[in-house]
Amino acid sequence: MLAKRLSHLGTETAFAVSEAAAAWSAQGHKVYPFHLGDINLPTPSNIVQAQQRAIENQKTGYAPAAGIPQLREALAADIGARRGIHCKAENVVVQPGGKPVVTKFIQAIMNPGDEVLYPNPGYPIYESQIEYFDGVARPYRFVESPTGFQIDVGYLESLITPKTRALIYNNQQNPLGTESGRAEMEHLAELAIRNNLIVLSDEAYFEMRYSGISESIASIPGMQERTVILYTFSKKYAMTGWRLGAAIAPREIAQAIARLNTNDESCTAHFVQWAGVEALQGDHTESRAILSELRRRRDAAVEMLQSIEGFSLHKPETTFYLFPNVTRAMQSMGYTDVSDFADAALKQACVSFCTRKHFGRPQPGEREQYIRLAYSGISVEDIRAGLGQLKAWIERR
Amino acid sequence: MLAKRLSHLGTETAFAVSEAAAAWSAQGHKVYPFHLGDINLPTPSNIVQAQQRAIENQKTGYAPAAGIPQLREALAADIGARRGIHCKAENVVVQPGGKPVVTKFIQAIMNPGDEVLYPNPGYPIYESQIEYFDGVARPYRFVESPTGFQIDVGYLESLITPKTRALIYNNQQNPLGTESGRAEMEHLAELAIRNNLIVLSDEAYFEMRYSGISESIASIPGMQERTVILYTFSKKYAMTGWRLGAAIAPREIAQAIARLNTNDESCTAHFVQWAGVEALQGDHTESRAILSELRRRRDAAVEMLQSIEGFSLHKPETTFYLFPNVTRAMQSMGYTDVSDFADAALKQACVSFCTRKHFGRPQPGEREQYIRLAYSGISVEDIRAGLGQLKAWIERR
């Protein structure tokens, strides 16, 4: 009954982890949820109030397909200033979340048969959308070092062919919690320019950082005109369930994305867009508090995980993900499949997390084992308790 | 720079009418807006309050891709009861509006080269999405009678070939304001069953009626298992800008649509879904008042339009659209192109409306001229004033 194209549509298999966790919880166990990148903190009250005012002012009818001018202008100003680039409202196309930018980018610039480079491990929707729209998905890889993960740029370069059309780049990376140094970013930009690649810069976590400052590949000379930035309100403002984001793109691509909006969903919820204006232009006290709380959680989670025998991980300054190498722990416990290890951790330590396998098909030659924990949806107290149980379970062998 | 597929992506050209109206208004003219199917009435207050409560209860994180169980169950019960069919929550996939059901239906069931029958005049996104996903768009047509418009079922049947995969059916029709009698609906169902067609039943206006009762083609024996219903909260509850709707589909299609949700937008805004639960299960006093107000507007608009020399139209019992035949008026004024007539009406009578051309390419042999007016976004007083100016402009010649 279904169309053939659906056979090459992927999904986020991490939702299966949610279901397993919910099922175990339903049996009366207190499960510590490290599997989902959601945030269990309230949206700042000034944003909520702005939405209520917008509804009172009857901002309940349709909005323009590309977004209300006020939000497009506010985004152009904010995103431009934080990246040191010049954006205009015409470059901004509001979306119901950051995620829609992935499919709309692919649809706007990739022809069937075009090759697209994307990170693996990485957000699984990249590969899904490349293959769904008949492109050729070319995963690039990372190398682990004591300070984190770096893109294997030499390998990435070796993947480039005359058919390579685009590079998907997710600095402040999910799931690795890593980011490029300046040299790595410049190397990628140079490859993009030399090979005439369009870049999707997924900057969902650009402002989620605990020290230092983020840079955008769009700020490198020659890049803005070939880069689409994925922006989202989800993380910084604890607005995951509000579904508000934007594509920032060269004008021609922005217009194509706006036309896709008209076809796909008409517009993003009208009053939610006014809430977005307040988020950008209003008081940031509460959003700073969100980041402080996440820092406390990171510190607690990293400290606990680093103390577990057979785990190793660096301390990321960005995102709210941790990607410990658990190879030695698994070996000492006799696990060879990281999925089995995760299942056992849920059942025996009541700790729920994703594994490397939820972020793309393992690449040839991969030998190390990794799990991914998100600390955005769990309190410091529960982080300590849950990871304490995980540690006890692992170390009692 | 853009992918080739965009060259066969359509759009809603009606937005150009909005722009022309806004431009004329910006020059200091009071424009009477009959062009856009939006509603200038507030959303019922109990729905607004339910959303606020949901935010207070921190329903601000992600929701399941297919929607929160409470809304899926409420929709299954409400939609099933009003149509006399049995729906389960598993058949319901929540969407950010009714419109996303069109693209997801096409993606889920149509292979490249498949033919899809759709109404012309009709909602322009049907044709756009069929052609965008490499199907063959086969428009069917209507015949006008003194009591409205009927589907030319004989012609529709003549379009069916072994490659015909689906039928898009928009009873309570935009732009015609027409609907099928029981015999016409049964004839369509019989054709769908005999030719093994999947049906998209766009029921956006199912509950927007001023007398009588709506029936769904899904209620005819043998149809529910081959029908996807497009449902939206937009009209009945004056929630156009909230972006909340649903697909009601056989289980296999529902699961495919949920997977598309995961890829395209993750989920529909979480607290908006709770507002939807209240809309369905809470007090309906205010939504009834919306319908009463629309009835007053219909009565005023139909009365004025019927009084204009050279206009003819029936009085629809459903939707908030009117589709007068203006052939004689145009002839008497010397217009041969309905677009010129509409432009002149904006400039000379300050009345803004769409034309037949905004609802699909005119079909071979079409000779009559039509315009489309929406009365959902304009008060009774302004309907009288605006259409009075239109009448004076037309009749003074």
Side-chain angles (χ1 to χ4, degrees):
Chain A
M1 192 175 221
L2 298 179
K4 294 186 199 89
R5 67 173 65 79
L6 292 170
S7 66
H8 43 115
L9 179 67
T11 191
E12 289 194 45
T13 53
F15 289 110
V17 181
S18 298
E19 282 167 26
W24 192 240
S25 175
Q27 289 183 38
H29 306 280
K30 175 170 169 64
V31 172
Y32 294 93
F34 291 89
H35 53 274
L36 205 55
D38 206 349
I39 304 176
N40 68 337
L41 298 167
T43 306
S45 56
N46 59 315
I47 298 173
V48 174
Q49 287 154 14
Q51 164 157 299
Q52 290 174 1
R53 278 197 307 276
I55 293 176
E56 283 159 22
N57 294 329
Q58 229 175 297
K59 303 300 184 189
T60 51
Y62 291 114
I68 58 173
Q70 294 84 351
L71 181 57
R72 296 173 78 189
E73 281 157 22
L75 280 166
D78 186 88
I79 289 170
R82 291 180 191 278
R83 286 156 184 80
I85 59 178
H86 182 65
C87 292
K88 294 193 221 168
E90 68 177 19
N91 300 115
V92 177
V93 191
V94 176
Q95 300 295 327
K99 189 185 265 182
V101 180
V102 177
T103 181
K104 288 170 185 167
F105 170 82
I106 293 292
Q107 291 181 57
I109 63 90
M110 184 197 78
N111 281 310
D114 282 352
E115 298 176 4
V116 178
L117 308 174
Y118 71 100
N120 175 352
Y123 193 47
I125 297 304
Y126 307 141
E127 181 185 84
S128 174
Q129 287 298 306
I130 297 164
E131 296 187 342
Y132 186 60
F133 286 99
D134 296 320
V136 181
R138 294 283 188 220
Y140 59 85
R141 67 192 184 195
F142 296 81
V143 287
E144 191 179 6
S145 78
T147 60
F149 298 86
Q150 286 81 45
I151 293 173
D152 186 344
V153 182
Y155 178 71
L156 186 154
E157 188 168 2
S158 77
L159 297 173
I160 297 175
T161 77
K163 303 221 67 173
T164 308
R165 172 67 176 146
L167 166 67
I168 298 178
Y169 176 49
N170 173 216
N171 206 14
Q172 298 90 41
Q173 216 252 6
N174 174 14
L176 299 179
T178 191
E179 59 187 326
S180 293
R182 181 76 192 181
E184 183 177 284
M185 190 182 280
E186 285 179 350
H187 196 157
L188 293 174
E190 187 268 320
L191 288 177
I193 292 167
R194 177 148 48 90
N195 295 285
N196 196 25
L197 309 182
I198 310 284
V199 174
L200 172 63
S201 184
D202 180 345
E203 302 187 359
Y205 300 94
F206 190 84
E207 295 173 57
M208 302 308 290
R209 57 182 315 128
Y210 311 111
S211 71
I213 189 162
S214 291
E215 287 185 83
S216 172
I217 197 168
S219 69
I220 295 176
M223 286 305 296
Q224 193 180 350
E225 54 266 42
R226 61 175 68 252
T227 301
V228 175
I229 294 173
L230 180 159
Y231 177 89
T232 180
F233 288 82
S234 288
K235 322 294 176 182
K236 179 178 180 186
Y237 303 108
M239 290 174 72
T240 51
W242 291 61
R243 312 314 300 134
L244 185 63
I248 295 81
R251 196 163 76 111
E252 190 184 8
I253 297 177
Q255 288 173 344
I257 291 176
R259 187 189 278 216
L260 286 164
N261 284 10
T262 296
N263 273 265
D264 293 351
E265 74 267 335
S266 285
C267 63
T268 297
H270 195 161
F271 45 76
V272 168
Q273 296 190 48
W274 283 102
V277 173
E278 171 66 22
L280 295 169
Q281 298 182 337
D283 185 77
H284 276 72
T285 309
E286 291 179 62
S287 73
R288 279 192 294 271
I290 291 168
L291 198 61
S292 298
E293 171 61 18
L294 291 173
R295 184 188 290 109
R296 282 189 290 276
R297 294 179 184 183
R298 176 200 63 168
D299 292 345
V302 169
E303 186 189 345
M304 287 298 298
L305 290 169
Q306 284 181 335
S307 81
I308 296 177
E309 212 177 294
F311 273 37
S312 70
L313 78 161
H314 74 288
K315 186 175 185 173
E317 295 303 327
T318 178
T319 78
F320 36 66
Y321 302 112
L322 301 170
F323 201 71
N325 185 324
V326 299
T327 314
R328 285 183 300 115
M330 281 177 57
Q331 279 169 349
S332 72
M333 296 172 82
Y335 288 103
T336 54
D337 184 329
V338 72
S339 303
D340 295 340
F341 177 72
D343 286 346
L346 174 62
K347 302 288 168 60
Q348 294 175 38
C350 289
V351 172
S352 174
F353 49 77
C354 293
T355 76
R356 184 269 178 270
K357 291 193 201 173
H358 294 105
F359 300 92
R361 295 182 274 261
Q363 301 210 45
E366 267 192 42
R367 280 195 196 80
E368 304 294 294
Q369 305 278 12
Y370 300 92
I371 61 174
R372 192 209 68 170
L373 299 94
Y375 52 79
S376 51
I378 180 166
S379 68
V380 167
E381 191 184 356
D382 277 0
I383 287 171
R384 294 221 170 90
L387 297 184
Q389 285 184 201
L390 184 69
K391 178 178 166 74
W393 172 62
I394 291 170
E395 295 184 356
R396 89 172 158 229
R397 313 227 159 196
Chain B
M1 191 176 221
L2 297 180
K4 294 186 200 89
R5 67 174 66 78
L6 292 170
S7 66
H8 44 114
L9 179 67
T11 188
E12 289 194 45
T13 53
F15 288 112
V17 181
S18 298
E19 283 167 26
W24 191 241
S25 176
Q27 289 183 38
H29 305 279
K30 175 169 170 60
V31 172
Y32 294 91
F34 290 89
H35 52 275
L36 205 56
D38 206 347
I39 304 176
N40 69 337
L41 299 168
T43 306
S45 55
N46 58 314
I47 298 173
V48 173
Q49 287 154 14
Q51 164 157 298
Q52 289 174 3
R53 278 197 307 277
I55 293 176
E56 283 159 22
N57 294 331
Q58 229 176 295
K59 304 299 185 190
T60 52
Y62 291 114
I68 59 172
Q70 294 83 351
L71 182 57
R72 297 173 78 189
E73 281 157 22
L75 279 166
D78 185 89
I79 289 170
R82 290 180 191 277
R83 287 156 183 79
I85 58 177
H86 183 64
C87 291
K88 294 193 221 168
E90 68 177 18
N91 300 115
V92 176
V93 190
V94 176
Q95 300 295 327
K99 190 186 264 183
V101 180
V102 178
T103 181
K104 288 170 185 168
F105 171 81
I106 293 292
Q107 291 182 58
I109 64 90
M110 184 197 78
N111 281 310
D114 282 352
E115 299 176 4
V116 179
L117 308 174
Y118 70 101
N120 175 352
Y123 194 46
I125 297 303
Y126 306 141
E127 180 186 84
S128 174
Q129 288 297 306
I130 296 164
E131 295 187 344
Y132 186 60
F133 286 99
D134 296 321
V136 181
R138 294 280 187 224
Y140 60 86
R141 68 192 182 195
F142 296 80
V143 288
E144 192 179 6
S145 78
T147 59
F149 297 86
Q150 285 81 46
I151 293 173
D152 185 343
V153 181
Y155 179 71
L156 185 154
E157 187 167 2
S158 77
L159 298 173
I160 298 175
T161 77
K163 302 220 67 175
T164 308
R165 173 66 176 145
L167 166 66
I168 298 179
Y169 176 51
N170 173 216
N171 207 14
Q172 297 90 40
Q173 216 252 6
N174 174 13
L176 300 180
T178 191
E179 59 188 324
S180 293
R182 182 76 192 181
E184 182 177 285
M185 189 181 281
E186 284 179 351
H187 195 159
L188 294 174
E190 187 267 320
L191 288 176
I193 292 168
R194 178 147 46 92
N195 295 284
N196 195 24
L197 309 182
I198 310 284
V199 173
L200 172 62
S201 183
D202 180 344
E203 302 186 359
Y205 299 93
F206 191 83
E207 295 174 55
M208 302 307 290
R209 58 181 315 127
Y210 311 110
S211 71
I213 191 162
S214 291
E215 286 186 83
S216 171
I217 197 167
S219 69
I220 295 176
M223 286 305 297
Q224 193 180 351
E225 54 266 40
R226 61 176 66 251
T227 301
V228 175
I229 294 173
L230 180 158
Y231 178 89
T232 181
F233 289 81
S234 288
K235 321 295 177 185
K236 179 178 179 185
Y237 303 108
M239 290 175 73
T240 53
W242 292 60
R243 313 313 301 133
L244 185 63
I248 294 79
R251 198 163 75 110
E252 190 183 7
I253 297 176
Q255 288 172 345
I257 290 176
R259 186 188 277 216
L260 286 164
N261 283 10
T262 296
N263 273 265
D264 293 352
E265 74 265 336
S266 286
C267 63
T268 297
H270 194 160
F271 45 77
V272 168
Q273 296 190 48
W274 284 102
V277 174
E278 171 65 21
L280 296 170
Q281 297 181 338
D283 184 76
H284 276 72
T285 309
E286 292 179 60
S287 72
R288 278 193 294 268
I290 291 167
L291 198 61
S292 298
E293 171 61 18
L294 292 173
R295 184 187 289 110
R296 281 189 290 276
R297 294 179 182 183
R298 177 201 60 167
D299 292 345
V302 169
E303 186 189 345
M304 288 298 298
L305 291 168
Q306 285 181 334
S307 81
I308 296 177
E309 211 176 295
F311 274 36
S312 70
L313 78 159
H314 74 290
K315 185 175 186 174
E317 295 304 325
T318 178
T319 79
F320 36 65
Y321 302 113
L322 301 171
F323 201 71
N325 185 324
V326 299
T327 312
R328 285 183 300 117
M330 282 177 57
Q331 280 168 350
S332 72
M333 297 172 82
Y335 288 103
T336 54
D337 185 330
V338 72
S339 304
D340 295 340
F341 176 73
D343 287 346
L346 174 62
K347 303 287 168 61
Q348 295 175 39
C350 288
V351 172
S352 175
F353 48 77
C354 292
T355 75
R356 184 271 177 267
K357 291 192 201 171
H358 294 104
F359 299 92
R361 296 182 276 261
Q363 301 210 47
E366 267 192 41
R367 282 197 193 81
E368 304 294 294
Q369 305 279 10
Y370 299 91
I371 61 175
R372 192 211 67 170
L373 298 95
Y375 53 79
S376 51
I378 181 164
S379 67
V380 167
E381 191 183 356
D382 278 359
I383 287 171
R384 293 221 172 91
L387 297 184
Q389 286 184 200
L390 184 69
K391 178 179 168 74
W393 172 63
I394 291 170
E395 296 185 355
R396 87 172 160 233
R397 314 231 155 189

